[in-house]
Amino acid sequence: MDKDDGQEQPIVSFQVITDMHITGDSQHAHNQNVRAVLRDITATDPNSDALIMLGDNTDSGREEEYWEFERIFRAYEAVLPATYFIQGNHDVRWGDWTLHAERFKTYTKMTSHYYDVWIKGIHFIFLGTERGLKDYSYLSKLQLQWLEEKLEEDQSGDKPVFVFHHQPLKNTVAGANESYHENNFWYGVRQDRELKQLLAKHPRAIMFSGHTHWELGSKDTMVETPYATLFHTGAASYLWSEEHGHRSGSQGYFVEVYKDRVLVRGRDFLSSSWLAAAQFEVNLTMPRQVDEAHQEPDLTISHPSFVLDKEMYKVGESIQATYSGSVWKDWIGIFPAGVKLGKSVSALAMLKPCDFGQPDGHLLFEDIGLPSGEYEAIYVGEAEYRTENDHLELERVKFKIVEG
């Protein structure tokens, strides 16, 4: 990719990779594959403007994995372009949220879970989870408001805006589509509906995601929707095939932005070759309609919330919770008022929405034997606590129990 060969030159060129899953073992296949990725990128596009990593930078967010991460990238820092990182679920789950966040910022030099940059007049927006959830990401109302403000900065209508997020949207790209992959838990934005509806107002967005590891060229590697052009990004560590399941391999994208088009070129990093089944072009001259009233069948996962049927109960009375946006192994627990959740704190009672219906439904706490007092029902995301600071709480509601 020589930018001085007399041919039309891109405004911006950059690479997108995902799911490095770096381990603490320097000889692990994942680590070796990441080295191959960096070798290939720096040799193929030495004038690249950016290298973007879509999360799961480490296998579990441990310090020794970040040591290896630092060693690998330090070996190439003299020839790498500017590097940008976001967190994936493997970087944040099953551990202390604060420690995971500090490690991410320390080793990647990123200063926030979400942020944006402009590169040669092109807008790059990076979204990041704000909870330590097992599989999904959680985008706060504040982050979504920030995203809308950032998207509204792009009023020219003739330039793309790139959005990056670890998890894909539901029923979109490879590995995240229930219609051909039953019992699919690979998609994963808790605010799926809200993000789709927000993007629908800004249809110039081109969004890259990772998470599923499906090999490039699989069905729905690229998907055009009314709200964005979506790309699945493969994986740097290992791949997943619909036919064979887990397989070795390392893939990602080289992206070139021109005045009238964006070229997205799938790359096999281990063989240093282009993937014929993953060569795409996004036409920037085609008008995209703003669809503020966007509705479609897969707007089923929304911001998780719940309400109780009352604010005050009599001793022995059943407590009903009406919930929405539930996935996988979410649970709702009852605790003394003011509790700080953690591994050492047990719920007085706990029920899982998956036993009653998802994503929306009702559950009923019966015969739990609570005395009079002040309590809180707390909605917890996807797993039980493994530390004192997993940061899994989604919402809490106060209530009282009084004598009859």
Side-chain angles (χ1 to χ4, degrees), residues 6-7 22 50 54 59 95 100 115 166 172 212 268 271 286 303 328 344 363 397 399:
Q7 299 180 359
I22 292 172
L54 301 184
D59 208 36
H100 279 159
Y115 56 95
H166 179 64
T172 57
T212 76
D268 184 315
S271 65
M286 295 290 289
H303 179 81
W328 198 211
S344 61
L363 53 79
V397 175
F399 67 96

Side-chain angles (χ1 to χ4, degrees), residues 1 12-20 33-34 37-38 40-42 44-45 48-57 73 80-86 115 119 122-127 161-167 206-211 214 216 221 229-237 239 250-257 262-269 274-275 278 280:
M1 298 178 66
V12 173
S13 71
F14 61 95
Q15 290 70 46
V16 187
I17 65 173
T18 187
D19 292 86
M20 297 185 291
N33 285 353
V34 173
V37 169
L38 301 184
D40 186 63
I41 287 173
T42 53
T44 307
D45 189 6
S48 172
D49 295 298
L51 171 58
I52 294 162
M53 275 67 64
L54 301 184
D56 282 4
N57 307 299
F73 276 84
L80 281 174
T83 53
Y84 301 96
F85 300 85
I86 51 179
Y115 56 95
I119 302 175
I122 304 297
H123 203 177
F124 292 69
I125 300 175
F126 302 83
L127 306 180
V161 53
F162 293 100
V163 179
F164 305 96
H165 183 259
H166 179 64
Q167 288 91 338
I206 298 175
M207 182 173 175
F208 290 85
S209 63
H211 190 55
W214 279 44
L216 298 182
T221 295
T229 301
L230 307 176
F231 285 96
H232 165 63
T233 311
S237 54
L239 300 171
S250 185
Q251 298 176 349
Y253 287 125
F254 283 66
V255 183
E256 299 176 351
V257 182
V262 176
L263 300 183
V264 180
R265 307 179 67 191
R267 183 78 169 173
D268 184 315
F269 295 116
W274 302 111
L275 295 164
F280 306 100

Side-chain angles (χ1 to χ4, degrees), residues 126-195:
F126 302 83
L127 306 180
T129 187
E130 296 176 78
R131 293 290 189 277
L133 302 178
K134 176 182 178 293
D135 293 315
Y136 285 67
S137 75
Y138 182 99
L139 309 180
S140 67
K141 292 179 181 179
L142 183 63
Q143 182 173 176
L144 290 172
Q145 180 182 348
W146 170 88
L147 173 60
E148 183 160 24
E149 292 170 355
K150 290 300 176 182
L151 289 171
E152 288 175 353
E153 293 178 8
D154 301 282
Q155 299 295 331
S156 67
D158 61 354
K159 292 181 180 179
V161 53
F162 293 100
V163 179
F164 305 96
H165 183 259
H166 179 64
Q167 288 91 338
L169 294 165
K170 182 182 178 183
N171 284 341
T172 57
V173 296
N177 199 313
E178 290 176 322
S179 66
Y180 62 92
H181 192 52
E182 294 182 3
N183 300 320
N184 189 308
F185 301 108
W186 281 105
Y187 54 79
V189 185
R190 300 303 299 256
Q191 292 74 24
D192 185 88
R193 177 191 299 170
E194 290 83 355
L195 182 53

Side-chain angles (χ1 to χ4, degrees), residues 169-172 192-203 224-228 230 288-300:
L169 294 165
K170 182 182 178 183
N171 284 341
T172 57
D192 185 88
R193 177 191 299 170
E194 290 83 355
L195 182 53
K196 286 174 177 174
Q197 291 177 331
L198 194 160
L199 289 171
K201 302 177 185 178
H202 305 275
E224 288 277 9
T225 75
Y227 43 85
L230 307 176
R288 298 292 298 266
Q289 295 298 118
V290 173
D291 185 10
E292 295 193 29
H294 176 62
Q295 293 291 324
E296 62 173 79
D298 70 354
L299 296 179
T300 53

